Amino acid sequence: QSVAVGQIITVTVNINANDRTVSAATLEVRYPADKLEGVSIDKGSFFSSGLGTATIDNVVGRMNFSAGSNPARAGTGMAFTLVFRGKAAGSAPLTFGAPTAIAITENTNATVLGATSPITLTVIAGTGASPTPTPSQYYTPTPIPTGIGGVGQVETGPGETTILALII
């Protein structure tokens, strides 16, 4: 997958519990903080609730969150959703950290996490962010007759105009 600098991308983490009954999961995803900015992490549709508070550390490039289901469930589904913003062009691998674990109802003290499949995002050059206008770029004053007031026009963005009136 790819994302432009300044743009947002959503990444899903899926689970395949096979015949195991999963009650909870903890996820730690690591990413290059110079290439991506973590925006949010949340539970996916596989789990019924989030557990605790999500943590995003954009200095070291790490997201953590836990989620669970009561009753526990088996099968496949979307476990977590991650949202990132592209910061700088280049390759941005997403990997699972050691705290990543899956708890099952048969033994809540053990993790049954099997194989994981990390992905690499490509952050492409160019900016997807809206340019920041300069005041002179969008403000067109209308001469003000002495002692009466005036009207000005402010273009708030491409194709959008707001009319300002000053009455004295």
Side-chain angles (χ1 to χ4, degrees):
Q1 297 183 13
S2 63
V3 61
V5 171
Q7 290 293 305
I8 297 287
I9 188 168
T10 300
V11 177
T12 59
V13 177
N14 296 310
I15 186 170
N16 181 352
N18 292 317
D19 60 347
R20 305 306 289 262
T21 307
V22 174
S23 57
T26 296
L27 176 70
E28 178 181 280
V29 173
R30 296 179 181 177
Y31 54 93
D34 62 328
K35 303 284 187 257
L36 294 171
E37 173 189 356
V39 176
S40 68
I41 180 171
D42 203 355
K43 70 164 192 70
S45 57
F46 186 84
F47 295 108
S48 59
S49 63
L51 305 172
T53 304
T55 303
I56 300 173
D57 185 338
N58 281 315
V59 174
V60 297
R62 183 174 42 225
M63 291 181 162
N64 295 81
F65 194 53
S66 296
S69 285
N70 187 10
R73 58 181 295 197
T76 61
M78 184 182 2
F80 296 93
T81 58
L82 317 171
V83 178
F84 295 97
R85 178 178 288 113
K87 283 176 66 175
S91 179
L94 305 180
T95 59
F96 295 97
T100 300
I102 298 175
I104 57 173
T105 55
E106 301 94 84
N107 185 349
T108 57
N109 294 325
T111 179
V112 293
L113 179 63
T116 59
S117 302
I119 66 167
T120 298
L121 299 178
T122 301
V123 182
I124 54 177
T127 180
S130 300
T132 303
T134 59
S136 62
Q137 181 180 359
Y138 292 118
Y139 179 68
T140 308
T142 300
I144 301 173
T146 307
I148 297 176
V151 176
Q153 175 178 315
V154 177
E155 186 176 332
T156 55
E160 300 174 6
T161 302
T162 301
I163 304 296
L164 301 175
L166 173 64
I167 300 173
I168 299 175

